[in-house]
Amino acid sequence: MTRRLIVTAIGILALIGGAITYVIQARDGGATENAVPVVSGQPMLLDGKTLFFRNLAPGPDSGKLAAVPVADPGTPRRVGELHCDRFAAAHGTAICLRLKPSSLPPLTEMFVLDANLHERHRETLPGTPSRARVSPDGRIVNWTLFVTGDSYAATGFSTRTGLYEVNTGRLVKTIEELAVFVDGKRYFASDVNYWGITFGADGNRFYATMASKGRTRLIEADYRAYRGTAIAENVECPSLSPDGRRIAYKQKTGPGTWRLAVLDLATHRITHPPESRQLDDQPVWRDNSTLLYPLRNPSGTQDIWSVGLTTAPKLLVPQATSPSVS
Amino acid sequence: MYLASVGPPRTPLRRAVRNVPGNVVALGIVSLVTDISAEMVTAILPLYLVFGLGLNPLQFGLLDGLYAGATAVLRLVGGHVADRWRRLKTVAGIGYALSAIAKLGFLVAGPVVPAIGAVLAIDRAGKGIRTAPRDALITSSSDPASLGRSFGVHRALDTVGAFLGPLVATLVLWASLNNYDSVFVTSFALATCAVILLVSFVRDQPAPPPVQAPAPIRTTLGLLREANFRRCCIWAAGLGLLTITDSFVYLAVQRRWDIGTSVFPLLPLGTAGTFLLLAIPLGRLGDRIGRWKVFLGGHLALIVALLIICGPIGSWWLVLALHGVFYAATDGVLPAAVGPLLPEHLRASGLAVLQTGQALARMAAAVTVGLLWTLWDLRPAILAFTLALLAVTIAAAIFKPLGVRR
């Protein structure tokens, strides 16, 4: 009995000791060298000529906001001190979403930043970061967060999409109150989820995906009137081109699989840029004919690619995600 | 080995576990530590998959739905093999060990979806294999007259683990600066500690006279020819088919009382808290007035909870408390009611058949409620189920299994 007790105690102490040791060494964050060349200490500004992204290259600067010139994305990435899980910018305003460290249930910190990337405003919201955008006029920042346990699979997810007016300070935690019309009738359902807002140049017209009862619809909405209409089906994570004529989005091809597609708003014709790989993000328009988007690579991280409406895809920045040009 | 010699302080818990067989307490502690380990991972898994690995939540949902059926089948396998080898402790231990190894599997699998699927499958397999032999061991180690209390003690300890899991996960995340691998490593260490505790302190059932031939599978199914056991299985499955599963209860509570998203994940704690407090008293009540009565009474508590959700009065904490009463009056009480009906050499197999039937029925219920929700809406779906559950509960009280005297 005594010997059994001693052996058991030794075994348990060894295991707990091992776990504590592991936790302590994990604090140092693994890699001490950056896997790719990184430049720090350089200023980062929203000058309209820069491609911003979340740096995923292993090393001390992994997870930080990084930048390269749009014209020459191959140069070493510049990093500052800002950590962002999702980042987007337009017209001198940026939004940075960051998962709040060790919060269970998870919380997200939403920062509004000015043209020098200094904090203007901060909100703490429930959920984990998924999408972020700034309206072309820089006045409205919006986001989509995953919220767990809000659906009928115990492990299911739902989304919570909200927005914040930078100048007035008006906060809309969820756009689920939007009056939506489907086939001319006001649509009511308890299971409505929205994700992926994109605003037009006027700062009033916006688009978003509404999911309900197993279908996803593209909603075209008027912000001031706060009402919207379903104009298409199977359009997720819409992104409006700068000229307002097209919507790039991820088109569902099967359970858990999507590809890049482009919808012409005038003709409702759907075309596919020459990119057939799995896409799982809201595409970004670099100009009216080029799209940027992250793709998962075999090693499990992501790379940023660009593709023309009819020209072949190019690798832009390896080990990076959440691209934004500003 | 009895814990009667323990001196003061005589807390209520002390009094409650006085004279509880040491084996049951040891199994309870093993479950407690295992549950900390399991709930740690459950708490961070969605975060890890979606955030750490960048998977889409939908893929995660697909992964998750895939294994529930396999778990049920493995429960039958675990029960059968344990009876056949006459080794309840060994088979339960294999189940605990499989789940422990799976925790390290997350580190190896990385972001590869099929590999994560395989790891989750191994984890579920371990859970499926160990349940029936563990409950059979509790039955064999206890005095039949106080079996309800034994199960109550075990389930209460188990629930303490479920409470601590998310707390430990948060602590590890905080200490490791949000390193998910640390959570898996800690979870593995705790699960392995539980296996060591099982090996050291849980004793296999006293060996009965060796059976001439090992029990063939026909005999397990032959159990179903036994009218009393068959009735228990049919009623357990029939009630399971109409039981609104947890996630729907919490969702309905959230909608009815408009509970904030940050509070929502904490709702299960309300249920678990009541379960923890009442598992032992209701187990003892079952020993005294009859376990089948308490089992059906638990379903009445669930019915009242659901009616409150659909009705104009009441409050959310009352619903959660009643939901906890439902668990305290059914989860350990059912095996305590049915265990004594089974011959010792087929106990694990029999409990596996009972629990598998119940689990599959509840899965079917979840799918049906989901469907009705989409067609009608959540409240009418719940109301329809509740009325049907009331009818079946009354029927189960009238045509109760005869052998369940106590």
Side-chain angles (χ1 to χ4, degrees), chain A residues 136-160:
Chain A
D137 61 9
R139 288 186 182 174
I140 297 178
V141 301
N142 64 69
W143 58 85
T144 299
L145 306 179
F146 282 127
V147 186
T148 37
D150 208 12
S151 89
Y152 39 83
T155 47
F157 278 82
S158 62
T159 56
R160 197 62 50 93

Side-chain angles (χ1 to χ4, degrees), chain A:
Chain A
M1 184 73 198
T2 350
R3 187 173 339 144
R4 194 174 52 173
L5 268 176
I6 292 168
V7 171
T8 307
I10 289 173
I12 288 175
L13 286 174
L15 280 162
I16 301 292
I20 291 173
T21 314
Y22 188 94
V23 169
I24 289 169
Q25 66 87 36
R27 285 181 73 93
D28 306 335
T32 51
E33 291 284 316
N34 280 310
V36 298
V38 169
V39 184
S40 56
Q42 299 271 337
M44 305 209 343
L45 308 168
L46 303 180
D47 56 8
K49 298 187 295 240
T50 309
L51 169 63
F52 290 91
F53 54 89
R54 171 175 157 87
N55 175 31
L56 294 178
D61 292 321
S62 183
K64 285 186 181 166
L65 180 69
V68 291
V70 177
D72 190 8
T75 54
R77 51 195 73 180
R78 281 177 286 151
V79 299
E81 284 310 304
L82 203 57
H83 276 266
C84 296
D85 295 313
R86 299 292 306 189
F87 179 86
H91 211 274
T93 304
I95 178 174
C96 166
L97 297 180
R98 184 162 72 198
L99 185 69
K100 202 171 173 177
S102 34
S103 53
L104 273 183
L107 296 170
T108 293
E109 287 174 318
M110 187 276 291
F111 301 93
V112 180
L113 311 167
D114 64 15
N116 299 315
L117 298 185
H118 293 145
E119 183 181 330
R120 281 185 63 173
H121 182 76
R122 172 195 303 216
E123 293 281 349
T124 303
L125 305 156
T128 61
S130 166
R131 308 281 179 252
R133 278 290 190 273
V134 179
S135 62
D137 61 9
R139 288 186 182 174
I140 297 178
V141 301
N142 64 69
W143 58 85
T144 299
L145 306 179
F146 282 127
V147 186
T148 37
D150 208 12
S151 89
Y152 39 83
T155 47
F157 278 82
S158 62
T159 56
R160 197 62 50 93
T161 295
L163 49 84
Y164 174 80
E165 289 183 25
V166 178
N167 298 340
T168 64
R170 178 170 180 249
L171 171 71
V172 179
K173 283 193 173 178
T174 170
I175 60 163
E176 278 162 38
E177 305 299 312
L178 189 74
V180 166
F181 292 80
V182 176
D183 302 328
K185 285 201 294 288
R186 177 77 197 270
Y187 186 84
F188 290 104
S190 57
D191 69 339
V192 166
N193 273 309
Y194 284 92
W195 58 84
I197 295 183
T198 180
F199 266 90
D202 62 358
N204 182 48
R205 179 171 58 134
F206 74 92
Y207 296 83
T209 299
M210 177 185 85
S212 173
K213 312 211 170 187
R215 296 161 84 168
T216 57
R217 295 181 173 89
L218 178 64
I219 307 295
E220 183 176 59
D222 181 305
Y223 181 63
R224 274 187 288 274
Y226 215 57
R227 52 186 291 165
T229 315
I231 58 166
E233 281 216 27
N234 193 16
V235 174
E236 295 182 55
C237 295
S239 177
L240 188 67
S241 59
D243 60 13
R245 287 173 49 199
R246 295 186 181 89
I247 288 214
Y249 64 100
K250 59 175 216 190
Q251 182 183 44
K252 194 169 189 162
T253 51
T257 58
W258 297 267
R259 67 172 298 185
L260 181 65
V262 175
L263 171 77
D264 187 302
L265 284 170
T267 63
H268 270 231
R269 222 168 62 91
I270 295 168
T271 52
H272 291 102
E275 171 60 87
S276 54
R277 287 171 291 180
Q278 283 298 314
L279 169 81
D280 187 7
D281 206 339
Q282 191 171 11
V284 174
W285 291 89
R286 186 184 145 179
D287 50 45
N288 286 316
S289 59
T290 319
L291 287 157
L292 310 181
Y293 48 93
L295 286 185
R296 196 164 259 293
N297 63 29
S299 68
T301 62
Q302 297 172 65
D303 304 324
I304 294 172
W305 290 72
S306 81
V307 70
L309 291 177
T310 51
T311 56
K314 284 202 302 272
L315 174 64
L316 224 52
V317 185
Q319 300 188 308
T321 187
S322 192
S324 178
V325 177
S326 194

Side-chain angles (χ1 to χ4, degrees), chain A residues 4 8 27 147 149-150 296, chain B residues 53 175 200 254-255 261 264 373:
Chain A
R4 194 174 52 173
T8 307
R27 285 181 73 93
V147 186
D150 208 12
R296 196 164 259 293
Chain B
L53 304 181
S200 302
Q254 185 193 26
R255 306 220 156 173
T261 344
F264 180 75
W373 180 2

Side-chain angles (χ1 to χ4, degrees), chain B residues 63-389:
Chain B
L63 277 181
D64 207 60
L66 218 58
Y67 305 114
T71 312
V73 174
L74 277 160
R75 211 181 286 211
L76 292 174
V77 171
H80 177 71
V81 170
D83 281 339
R84 202 171 167 144
W85 291 357
R86 320 274 331 108
R87 295 259 191 290
L88 296 180
K89 177 181 165 180
T90 311
V91 175
I94 290 171
Y96 283 112
L98 272 180
S99 292
I101 292 164
K103 305 296 186 292
L104 279 188
F106 283 109
L107 302 186
V108 180
V112 187
V113 177
I116 295 171
V119 170
L120 284 173
I122 292 170
D123 193 31
R124 303 280 157 89
K127 191 168 171 55
I129 287 170
R130 69 182 176 246
T131 310
R134 183 198 63 203
D135 283 354
L137 257 182
I138 294 173
T139 310
S140 311
S141 318
S142 303
D143 169 12
S146 61
L147 193 50
R149 188 183 56 180
S150 285
F151 270 102
V153 168
H154 175 267
R155 296 303 196 259
L157 286 166
D158 192 73
T159 312
V160 170
F163 256 114
L164 292 175
L167 292 177
V168 176
T170 315
L171 188 75
V172 171
L173 277 182
W174 170 79
S176 66
L177 303 180
N178 256 13
N179 174 287
Y180 295 110
D181 286 356
S182 296
V183 176
F184 295 128
V185 169
T186 312
S187 171
F188 164 78
L190 285 170
T192 313
C193 286
V195 175
I196 292 177
L197 289 170
L198 177 98
V199 171
S200 302
F201 297 116
V202 173
R203 283 171 307 167
D204 224 331
Q205 57 184 6
V211 187
Q212 291 309 323
I217 192 87
R218 282 200 310 277
T219 324
T220 308
L221 293 174
L223 280 172
L224 286 169
R225 282 205 287 277
E226 212 271 308
N228 277 325
F229 177 66
R230 189 176 61 236
R231 270 195 191 187
C232 289
C233 289
I234 289 172
W235 285 126
L239 291 163
L241 268 179
L242 297 168
T243 299
I244 302 262
T245 36
D246 300 5
S247 40
F248 287 109
V249 172
Y250 302 135
L251 263 175
V253 166
Q254 185 193 26
R255 306 220 156 173
R256 164 86 161 72
W257 285 280
D258 202 18
I259 285 167
T261 344
S262 43
V263 182
F264 180 75
L266 306 176
L267 292 182
L269 292 180
T271 299
T274 322
F275 182 15
L276 174 67
L277 291 173
L278 292 179
I280 298 171
L282 286 178
R284 295 178 72 172
L285 184 70
D287 291 339
R288 232 173 276 142
I289 67 165
R291 293 172 194 137
W292 195 252
K293 281 183 198 147
V294 172
F295 177 68
L296 294 180
H299 284 84
L300 287 178
L302 178 67
I303 288 164
V304 173
L306 294 169
L307 289 175
I308 292 175
I309 289 177
C310 297
I313 51 162
S315 60
W316 59 267
W317 54 264
L318 189 60
V319 171
L320 293 182
L322 286 165
H323 195 227
V325 170
F326 163 69
Y327 271 104
T330 54
D331 194 70
V333 172
L334 180 65
V338 179
L341 299 177
L342 296 161
E344 173 111 31
H345 71 280
L346 286 174
R347 197 162 278 153
S349 322
L351 287 173
V353 170
L354 173 82
Q355 290 165 336
T356 303
Q358 190 184 39
L360 288 177
R362 282 187 182 174
M363 267 168 55
V367 174
T368 319
V369 175
L371 206 67
L372 289 182
W373 180 2
T374 318
L375 289 174
W376 305 343
D377 202 359
L378 188 54
R379 202 177 281 194
I382 287 184
L383 204 55
F385 257 65
T386 307
L387 296 176
L389 180 63

